[in-house]
Structures are given as structure tokens and as C-alpha cells.
Amino acid sequence: EPEVTQTPSHQVTQMGQEVILRCVPISNHLYFYWYRQILGQKVEFLVSFYNNEISEKSEIFDDQFSVERPDGSNFTLKIRSTKLEDSAMYFCASSGGGERPDTQYFGPGTRLTVL
Amino acid sequence: GENVEQHPSTLSVQEGDSAVIKCTYSDSASNYFPWYKQELGKRPQLIIDIRSNVGEKKDQRIAVTLNKTAKHFSLHITETQPEDSAVYFCAATIPFSGGYNKLIFGAGTRLAVHP
């Protein structure tokens, strides 16, 4: 069964540095998402992406964040200048294909640690 | 605003007992309600879902009920087993006209099944 994949699994960075988190959504899906989960808390929506543009974003997704689909397979989340409070697990998800178009399938996550 | 309340936050049962987790959503436009199981350090995995045109759905030991009028939905696990131990998240989708949706998660229920 196809799965969403993410790299790296763990990223450690210094405050103020830029990070890029990478995702490969399921190949026939149309909609792509980023969520984050601070340790011990709920999963929070960041952004959705469709037809090469952002379709919806949350208050968390400020000017420090950007998303891109640089080619036909990858979907990236960039944080320009990381803050301590950006430390979290970041999940990519995709939906919009096959028998279950509503269902969002999650990747394994990237644990971002900002020091 | 968009919100999903989930109770209880922790649930401890003996193997073989039933477990019930309840959620309430705020946005009446929500039309799809997935449940995710998350084991420690792993991705959220869809275990069952229900759409707003259905009142109940069952898959082996797992069932979900939906009361649209009251904006309540519940997860029922029967004959619990130790491998059911995990954090369970309910979610409600906010649909958009472009065909994509946004998941609003509950705070999660940590279920512990004791042998």
C-alpha cells in the first residue's frame, strides 16, 4: 500500500537557522498538508496546498513558513529563521485520490529540535 | 471558532473490557470524522471514519457513532487488547469548495489496556 514518506526523521538546528522538511505524498493524491504536533499535545493544522498554491493556512503559518512543490513528487516545508518554539513533530499528509478522497494519510513525521 | 473537544484525556481499562471516547465539534459544516491511533513516536494511523450522512459504522471491534444534531461522535472499542494501548485522536474536517479539507483534531485520549 502506498505511503507518505518524509525526510529527515530528525533534524536538529540552531535558533535562527533555516530548515527544509521534505515529503513525498502518495502519487495520485491532489491535496497536500502540513501539520505539527508539539510534544504531548494535539496535532495542529498548518497549511494545505492544491494546484501549486496554498489553499488554506492557519495562524501558526506566518511569514517564516513557506511551502513548495518543486517537482512532481516532492512537497517541502521551509522555516526561514527557526525559533525555540518551532520544536515539534511535523507531519505531512496527502489526500484526494482513490476510493477515499476525503481521507488524509500521514507521513512518519520529522522531529525538529531547535537549540 | 473551529474546535473539537475530546474526553477523557486518559482511559485505563482491563483487557477484554470496552472503551469509549467521546468528541464534540463546533462547526456545523463538518461532514467527515476520522479517528486516528498514534503509537509513541509514530504517525497517526486512520482506524475508522464516518461521514455525516451515516449514523453508525462498525469495523470488527471498533465502531463509531455520530449524532449530527448534537454535534457528538464517539469511538467504541470492544474486547480491548494490550495492543490497543495508544493515543487516539478524533478529528472533524472543515470542507472547502476546492475539494480539499482541513482536519481539526481533538486533544487526544491516552488509552492503557492492562492484561
Side-chain angles (χ1 to χ4, degrees), chain A residues 31 33 100 103-104 106-107, chain B residues 32 36 38 43 49 98 101:
Chain A
Y31 309 111
Y33 311 86
R100 309 173 70 95
T103 300
Q104 293 188 25
F106 282 75
Chain B
Y32 173 64
Y36 288 87
Q38 187 179 32
R43 76 183 80 193
D49 55 16
N101 53 45

Side-chain angles (χ1 to χ4, degrees), chain A residues 16-17 19 60-66 77-83 86:
Chain A
Q17 295 297 304
V19 294
I60 303 167
F61 194 89
D62 61 22
D63 291 344
Q64 293 300 313
F65 291 87
S66 62
L77 174 70
K78 182 194 290 187
I79 309 175
R80 257 181 281 281
S81 178
T82 50
K83 307 183 192 68
D86 293 328

Side-chain angles (χ1 to χ4, degrees), chain A residues 14-83:
Chain A
Q14 295 290 327
M15 192 168 57
Q17 295 297 304
E18 174 184 288
V19 294
I20 297 176
L21 311 183
R22 291 183 167 81
C23 168
V24 179
I26 294 173
S27 62
N28 65 339
H29 282 184
L30 302 174
Y31 309 111
F32 315 114
Y33 311 86
W34 284 100
Y35 291 83
R36 81 169 185 193
Q37 185 178 33
I38 294 170
L39 188 64
Q41 297 187 23
K42 71 165 86 174
V43 178
E44 300 174 288
F45 170 80
L46 292 179
V47 66
S48 60
F49 191 86
Y50 168 64
N51 202 24
N52 282 319
E53 60 183 22
I54 290 173
S55 42
E56 181 77 9
K57 60 183 181 179
S58 72
E59 293 175 354
I60 303 167
F61 194 89
D62 61 22
D63 291 344
Q64 293 300 313
F65 291 87
S66 62
V67 289
E68 193 178 34
R69 189 155 162 81
D71 54 43
S73 60
N74 290 285
F75 179 50
T76 62
L77 174 70
K78 182 194 290 187
I79 309 175
R80 257 181 281 281
S81 178
T82 50
K83 307 183 192 68

